[in-house]
Amino acid sequence: METEFLYDWGEEVQVIDTAPIQYAPGHTGAVCGMSEIDGVKVYTVEAGSGESMEIPEEMLRKAD
C-alpha cells in the first residue's frame, strides 16, 4: 500500500513554532522530497537559499 502524505511536491510549508530547535521553528520552504522512516512521514524541505533539511510531518504546517 502506498503511503499518503499530507503535503505534496513543491508545496510551501512552515515549521511550527513549537518544534524543537533542530527543526528551525518558523523556517519556510518548499517540499522537495518525501519518505517514511520507521512509520514516521518525513519531508525534505528546501528554503529559497537552497539549504534543505528533513522534517517530520507533525512539525510542519501549510505556509501562509
Side-chain angles (χ1 to χ4, degrees), residues 5 8-10 30-35 42-46 53 55:
F5 289 89
D8 203 1
W9 290 88
V31 173
C32 62
M34 298 172 280
S35 60
V42 177
Y43 295 81
T44 303
V45 178
E46 184 175 310
M53 61 180 3
I55 305 171

Side-chain angles (χ1 to χ4, degrees), residues 16-56:
I16 61 173
D17 292 335
T18 57
I21 194 74
Q22 71 261 30
Y23 296 122
H27 174 90
T28 303
V31 173
C32 62
M34 298 172 280
S35 60
E36 187 170 5
I37 302 169
D38 295 328
V40 176
K41 295 175 188 175
V42 177
Y43 295 81
T44 303
V45 178
E46 184 175 310
S49 66
E51 179 185 0
S52 65
M53 61 180 3
E54 292 186 337
I55 305 171

